[in-house]
Amino acid sequence: MDKKLQNVFNDQIKNELASGYLYLSMAAWFEAANLEGFAHWMKVQVKEEENHAMKMFDFLNDRGVRVVLQAIPQPEIEFSSVKEIFEKTLAHEKKVTALINKLYELSKSIDDYPASAFLQWFITEQVEEEKNATKILETIKMIKGDGSAALIMLDRELAKREG
Ligand code: FEO
């Protein structure tokens, strides 16, 4: 595999794990706020990110590429509200979408057909990732006034997310 493509794939493994680390930090915030349903939703998201990283890890190994793991930075730990967390989640997913699209463009530009085919799954997955974050954010924005009852109901709803 082209060296530059290898490097960007290795970067992306780190980015996926860093996404999981950010969501784990958000889960910790929710746990501290006694919002266990929100925390559960984030913990499922952590597993999804790990799965994304592992798909790339396995793909590189299948291609005979040496996986080089990188340092994962400390994620943000303090948040001001539930709404802020989902705004940040959506913004983060948009950033990841842009990274995946760039990786795809690179694979196309150097005619690495297996990499392009492999990345199709991620392109579709990012639509789902952005949709999930948007749906929850839009629901949160509908909560007016004190809103604690609505927040508790949403917490119960998010507790049902399957892994
Ligand atoms: Fe791995 Fe949330 O994208």
Side-chain angles (χ1 to χ4, degrees):
M1 189 189 283
D2 170 88
K3 192 68 193 155
K4 180 155 188 232
L5 189 60
Q6 290 187 30
N7 290 341
V8 184
F9 260 114
N10 272 311
D11 284 349
Q12 194 56 28
I13 289 175
K14 184 252 311 173
N15 292 334
E16 298 293 342
L17 293 171
S19 299
Y21 213 34
L22 172 64
Y23 297 141
L24 190 60
S25 185
M26 291 171 169
W29 189 92
F30 283 128
E31 294 278 3
N34 292 313
L35 289 166
E36 286 179 13
F38 280 94
H40 168 79
W41 192 93
M42 281 296 171
K43 284 191 270 185
V44 172
Q45 193 61 30
V46 172
K47 292 212 172 77
E48 290 228 345
E49 300 304 346
E50 191 183 288
N51 180 44
H52 298 167
M54 288 312 296
K55 273 183 190 286
M56 290 189 178
F57 181 96
D58 290 340
F59 179 69
L60 291 188
N61 285 314
D62 288 348
R63 294 284 303 275
V65 173
R66 177 76 165 92
V67 171
V68 182
L69 296 180
Q70 301 170 14
I72 299 168
Q74 183 184 23
E76 203 171 339
I77 50 170
E78 288 302 341
F79 306 96
S80 62
S81 66
V82 171
K83 182 163 159 267
E84 189 205 353
I85 288 187
F86 277 91
E87 281 166 351
K88 289 197 162 159
T89 299
L90 179 58
H92 185 79
E93 286 304 328
K94 286 184 176 173
K95 237 164 53 188
V96 174
T97 299
L99 290 168
I100 295 287
N101 289 347
K102 268 194 150 163
L103 188 50
Y104 180 74
E105 277 169 26
L106 178 61
S107 73
K108 294 269 282 183
S109 73
I110 55 174
D111 293 337
D112 190 320
Y113 302 115
S116 300
F118 170 79
L119 287 165
Q120 297 274 350
W121 184 89
F122 283 87
I123 291 166
T124 309
E125 175 69 2
Q126 282 311 118
V127 174
E128 191 69 22
E129 293 281 79
E130 287 190 30
K131 184 191 88 178
N132 289 343
T134 302
K135 261 174 67 181
I136 297 170
L137 180 59
E138 290 307 313
T139 306
I140 292 166
K141 281 184 185 164
M142 281 190 270
I143 300 175
K144 302 284 179 228
D146 158 355
S148 50
L151 202 63
I152 290 166
M153 275 177 66
L154 182 57
D155 189 61
R156 287 197 188 136
E157 193 57 37
L158 295 182
K160 295 179 196 153
R161 183 179 190 188
E162 287 174 18

